[in-house]
Amino acid sequence: MARQQRAIRTRRIFLQAAAEVFDEHGYDAATIAAILDRAGLTRGSLYFHFTSKEELARGVLQEAVTSDGVTPQTFKLQEWVDMALLLAYRLPREPLLSASIRLSVDPRARGLFGTRWPDWIVIGTELLTEAKERGELLPHVDPEATSRLVVGAWTGVQLVTESMAEPPDLVAEISALFELILPNAVVPGVLARLDTSPHRAARIMEQQAVAAS
Amino acid sequence: MARQQRAIRTRRIFLQAAAEVFDEHGYDAATIAAILDRAGLTRGSLYFHFTSKEELARGVLQEAVTSDGVTPQTFKLQEWVDMALLLAYRLPREPLLSASIRLSVDPRARGLFGTRWPDWIVIGTELLTEAKERGELLPHVDPEATSRLVVGAWTGVQLVTESMAEPPDLVAEISALFELILPNAVVPGVLARLDTSPHRAARIMEQQAVAAS
């Protein structure tokens, strides 16, 4: 068991190191040597877990779709909003998440590994479909089309934000995005009770850190 | 005069060729040889216009911010919508535009040349500011913040759309994006008279082709 836990931890260290190197240099320019150097572990231990740079990239992408931190809420829409806000909060703090976007927008890496956008679209579609069944959404809303648009919008807002000389806070931008789109998708009684505030993500993360400690 | 026109045309051929090569292979992998090959002109004629790959990339980015096709409308908001719809229509048809996005999302090219997103944000802010002065926008709308969000959302919707196995039509996606965001930004009397239909872009392009012929 201890050995298994150590193996999981080692695997994680390599994924983190690979994510950092992909994130800083891009997939093509990333080398196994740089990843080893970053991880501070031996080549033998790397090859026990991953046989190539390709496999590391696949591992990074696999880890990148996560609704960690999202807990059941009175409204399914709140869970959808929470997922997007938490991701905006975590992305600048977690290389695994930013590397996953970098691999997805890099056409060569995308050609090799695809993207995780379809998975995000499915998760959003499921939440929005349930929200619609519960009567939280206006009748004209198409869950799949809306999920797809918001995955795209989220990604682009992140890209444009990080490219700015003085980047605005990503959570605040995503919060503003929801304020722009929700009034035309959500029934009024639910809309008034959704929390889209930029502070929500940090609050959730802190509560969970306290609960876990 | 004939010589000058030929020079403009030659310059344009090289920018087109460079855009196609950047678009297909990315900035790093693009070579002067491939660009020359695509242009079908001599090396001497290339160096008369551009001394390096860097200069070609700068040239491509310079051409990429264009509101060609947008004509004065009763509502300033219609001009803003038209700009976004026309760009969505033209992007899959014009390598200069798609290469510009590819250079902007490539972190290395972005580090060298910056992006054109700030320019798009300025153009949108100006249109939205004028729309607001004319009373077309709801009082809570911040032109700069809204322009920034929509430039981001537009970009991400394009990226996610083009990555899909069966990509939906980009103009239809951008039209749906506007349907999602406009009701919470536009005063009702104007909203009902804005044309955000996906057919609008093709119609404008056809009218202008007829007018020019």
Side-chain angles (χ1 to χ4, degrees):
Chain A
M1 188 58 183
R3 178 181 294 182
Q4 202 189 336
Q5 275 173 352
R6 201 160 54 235
I8 291 172
R9 209 171 51 225
T10 306
R11 193 186 137 84
R12 186 83 191 171
I13 289 171
F14 281 122
L15 286 178
Q16 288 279 359
E20 286 173 28
V21 175
F22 291 150
D23 211 23
E24 286 162 31
H25 304 286
Y27 178 73
D28 273 337
T31 61
I32 291 283
I35 294 168
L36 274 174
D37 193 44
R38 188 67 58 103
L41 297 172
T42 65
R43 187 173 290 263
S45 124
L46 172 66
Y47 285 124
F48 178 76
H49 293 277
F50 301 97
T51 56
S52 63
K53 188 168 85 166
E54 288 74 18
E55 243 186 80
L56 281 160
R58 285 207 180 82
V60 166
L61 283 163
Q62 237 154 40
E63 299 282 317
V65 177
T66 161
S67 51
D68 280 5
V70 178
T71 55
Q73 302 289 321
T74 310
F75 300 115
K76 273 290 151 188
L77 278 176
Q78 186 67 59
E79 297 176 23
W80 184 59
V81 169
D82 286 354
M83 196 171 71
L85 290 177
L86 282 169
L87 207 64
Y89 181 87
R90 292 173 55 190
L91 187 122
R93 295 167 172 82
E94 299 182 26
L96 271 171
L97 298 175
S98 42
S100 150
I101 293 197
R102 175 137 188 196
L103 290 171
S104 299
V105 300
D106 174 343
R108 217 181 85 78
R110 184 200 291 172
L112 291 169
F113 313 117
T115 79
R116 300 309 306 276
W117 291 323
D119 307 274
W120 285 114
I121 293 170
V122 167
I123 295 176
T125 302
E126 283 167 3
L127 286 169
L128 291 177
T129 302
E130 210 175 324
K132 190 159 188 186
E133 283 162 8
R134 296 186 181 189
E136 299 173 16
L137 285 170
L138 294 168
H140 70 270
V141 176
D142 175 340
E144 205 268 333
T146 306
S147 174
R148 191 171 70 224
L149 278 179
V150 171
V151 166
W154 192 105
T155 304
V157 167
Q158 190 275 325
L159 283 169
V160 170
T161 301
E162 71 160 16
S163 79
M164 295 179 79
E166 295 176 26
D169 176 48
L170 181 59
V171 187
E173 291 292 287
I174 297 300
S175 160
L177 180 68
F178 277 117
E179 276 165 38
L180 202 55
I181 62 178
L182 288 181
N184 193 39
V186 180
V187 298
V190 174
L191 184 62
R193 291 157 75 190
L194 288 180
D195 182 0
T196 57
S197 122
H199 310 296
R200 183 171 173 87
R203 216 159 47 221
I204 293 176
M205 295 299 282
E206 281 156 22
Q207 281 166 359
Q208 294 185 347
V210 170
S213 68
Chain B
M1 188 58 183
R3 177 180 294 183
Q4 201 188 338
Q5 277 174 351
R6 201 160 54 234
I8 291 172
R9 208 170 53 225
T10 306
R11 194 186 135 85
R12 185 84 191 170
I13 290 172
F14 281 122
L15 285 180
Q16 288 279 1
E20 286 174 28
V21 175
F22 292 149
D23 210 23
E24 286 162 32
H25 304 286
Y27 178 73
D28 273 338
T31 61
I32 290 282
I35 294 168
L36 274 174
D37 193 46
R38 187 68 57 102
L41 297 172
T42 65
R43 188 172 291 261
S45 121
L46 172 66
Y47 285 124
F48 178 76
H49 293 277
F50 301 97
T51 57
S52 63
K53 189 167 84 166
E54 288 75 17
E55 242 185 83
L56 281 160
R58 286 210 179 82
V60 166
L61 283 163
Q62 236 155 39
E63 300 282 317
V65 177
T66 160
S67 50
D68 279 7
V70 178
T71 54
Q73 303 290 319
T74 310
F75 300 116
K76 273 288 150 188
L77 278 175
Q78 186 68 59
E79 296 176 23
W80 185 59
V81 169
D82 285 355
M83 196 171 68
L85 290 176
L86 282 169
L87 207 63
Y89 181 87
R90 292 172 56 190
L91 188 123
R93 296 167 171 82
E94 299 182 25
L96 270 171
L97 298 175
S98 44
S100 151
I101 292 199
R102 174 138 189 197
L103 291 171
S104 298
V105 301
D106 174 344
R108 217 181 85 78
R110 185 201 290 173
L112 291 169
F113 314 117
T115 78
R116 301 308 306 275
W117 290 323
D119 307 275
W120 284 114
I121 293 171
V122 167
I123 295 176
T125 302
E126 284 167 1
L127 286 169
L128 290 177
T129 301
E130 208 174 325
K132 190 159 188 188
E133 284 162 6
R134 295 186 183 190
E136 299 173 16
L137 286 170
L138 293 169
H140 69 270
V141 176
D142 174 339
E144 204 268 334
T146 305
S147 173
R148 192 171 69 225
L149 279 178
V150 171
V151 167
W154 192 105
T155 304
V157 167
Q158 191 275 323
L159 283 169
V160 170
T161 301
E162 71 161 15
S163 79
M164 295 178 80
E166 295 177 25
D169 176 48
L170 181 58
V171 187
E173 290 292 285
I174 298 300
S175 159
L177 179 69
F178 276 116
E179 276 165 38
L180 201 55
I181 62 177
L182 289 181
N184 193 38
V186 180
V187 298
V190 174
L191 184 63
R193 291 157 75 192
L194 288 180
D195 181 359
T196 57
S197 123
H199 310 295
R200 183 170 173 87
R203 215 159 48 222
I204 293 175
M205 295 299 283
E206 282 156 21
Q207 279 166 0
Q208 294 186 347
V210 170
S213 69

